[in-house]
Amino acid sequence: MHPPLSIIAFTVLSGAGYGLLALLGLGPVLGIGQSPDRALALTGGITALVLVTAGLGASTGHLANPRNVWRALFRWRTSWLSREGVLALATYPFALAWLAGWWGSAGTEPVPGWVSTAGAVAGLLGVATMLSTGMIYACLRTVRQWRTPLTPLNYLLIGLALGALLAAWLGGSPAASGAALVLVVLALIAKVLWLVGVGQPASVSIEAATSLRRATVRLLDVGHSAGTFLTREFLYEVARSRLLMLRAVAIGAMFVIPALVHLGGTPSAAASGLAALCAIGGALVERWLFFAEARHAVTLFHGAART
């Protein structure tokens, strides 16, 4: 499929922001990390909201009429896209309240309980938003590569890994560095499992798409002599050699380099920043491949034998 740059930017930037917010707000409540100090809470919270806002702003570039984006919020009962939008907006008041609580604290005393509660709720909403983003694609029966529970799991773990790398850069503590290493490894395992699933033999044929299973179906004419919206969006082809090269770039930048940086303990601020920026760049390539490698069932009606 054609990779939409606005959606690629949205999913990567907002995923990193929600991942950072979830780790800062939810981690201490679950006992998987210490409560952040005032400097990390403020810099991390502001960074997370900037990334989330930039991602949401980029997502409107994919809309034919961005002024109608509010209409998508009213179908939350049936649409994962609508649920994602509702959860994304619901995160803001809790995240802002959490930031306000840290801003008003003196930095020497524990923050009030309501501040931790607001951070935990913001973290939960961030996790739910990342899962909803993944479910937008996992619920599509027309794209075999996406219809798997590994799709939302990848969105969640990659977002948390990016957030952990940003937290390690901003905080510089051994605990943050260790959490970043663990989440990067988990995200790599989930990504490898997803790639193994994508590489399996195709299961959807033109016979299955047309429900004509008793004979061999052969396409006689595509019905058009020039390119159409369907051919531009769903028949996007990339050379196999280029796909393999980009996979190596994505895995190296997003997983290998950050893991090596944090493997030896707490790295310097410059090394942590390099690891975080490499991971974000690798995530952009990975998300481009997520769309470029997908094969929509509509391609069966334009000459493809299987998807």
Side-chain angles (χ1 to χ4, degrees):
M1 293 177 63
H2 184 268
L5 298 182
S6 59
I7 301 301
I8 292 172
F10 157 64
T11 55
V12 172
L13 295 179
S14 65
Y18 285 124
L20 177 58
L21 187 63
L23 291 173
L24 293 177
L26 196 58
V29 177
L30 298 178
I32 58 176
Q34 298 179 348
S35 179
D37 55 26
R38 185 173 185 269
L40 176 58
L42 291 177
T43 56
I46 293 173
T47 301
L49 287 181
V50 168
L51 289 171
V52 168
T53 304
L56 292 175
S59 68
T60 61
H62 192 62
L63 302 175
N65 189 353
R67 292 177 297 179
N68 291 332
V69 65
W70 60 273
R71 298 180 185 273
L73 301 177
F74 295 96
R75 300 186 179 275
W76 55 270
R77 295 181 179 179
T78 58
S79 170
W80 282 106
L81 177 62
S82 181
R83 293 165 188 160
E84 175 200 45
V86 171
L87 291 169
L89 294 179
T91 306
Y92 275 95
F94 294 99
L96 291 173
W98 181 72
L99 276 175
W102 276 103
W103 183 271
S105 66
T108 57
E109 300 179 357
V111 294
W114 67 267
V115 178
S116 299
T117 301
V121 174
L124 284 173
L125 289 172
V127 169
T129 304
M130 288 186 285
L131 289 174
S132 297
T133 303
M135 283 303 302
I136 293 174
Y137 307 103
C139 70
L140 297 178
R141 297 183 179 182
T142 52
V143 183
R144 175 184 62 86
Q145 292 87 349
W146 295 349
R147 191 167 174 78
T148 168
L150 290 173
T151 297
L153 180 63
N154 269 274
Y155 270 74
L156 175 62
L157 289 178
I158 289 176
L160 290 175
L162 294 178
L165 290 169
L166 290 172
W169 182 16
L170 298 172
S173 66
S177 181
L181 178 60
V182 170
L183 286 170
V184 166
V185 172
L186 290 176
L188 174 59
I189 293 173
K191 186 60 184 179
V192 170
L193 291 175
W194 187 84
L195 288 174
V196 170
V198 169
Q200 293 300 310
S203 59
V204 180
S205 63
I206 185 63
E207 288 80 11
T210 57
S211 297
L212 301 174
R213 303 176 184 272
R214 296 186 178 182
T216 301
V217 178
R218 181 167 59 91
L219 180 67
L220 298 179
D221 190 5
V222 295
H224 53 80
S225 59
T228 65
F229 171 81
L230 294 179
T231 58
R232 289 191 301 269
E233 290 296 320
F234 301 120
L235 273 73
Y236 190 83
E237 293 290 342
V238 184
R240 183 65 179 173
S241 59
R242 186 183 180 189
L243 286 177
L244 294 176
M245 179 191 68
L246 290 175
R247 276 188 184 181
V249 170
I251 292 176
M254 188 167 51
F255 302 117
V256 177
I257 293 177
L260 292 177
V261 168
H262 291 277
L263 190 60
T266 306
S268 63
S272 294
L274 176 63
L277 293 177
C278 281
I280 292 176
L284 291 171
V285 177
E286 182 272 341
R287 207 52 50 83
W288 187 91
L289 287 170
F290 176 79
F291 290 96
E293 292 184 283
R295 292 293 178 266
H296 198 282
V298 76
T299 59
L300 296 170
F301 299 93
H302 292 269
R306 306 179 74 89
T307 62

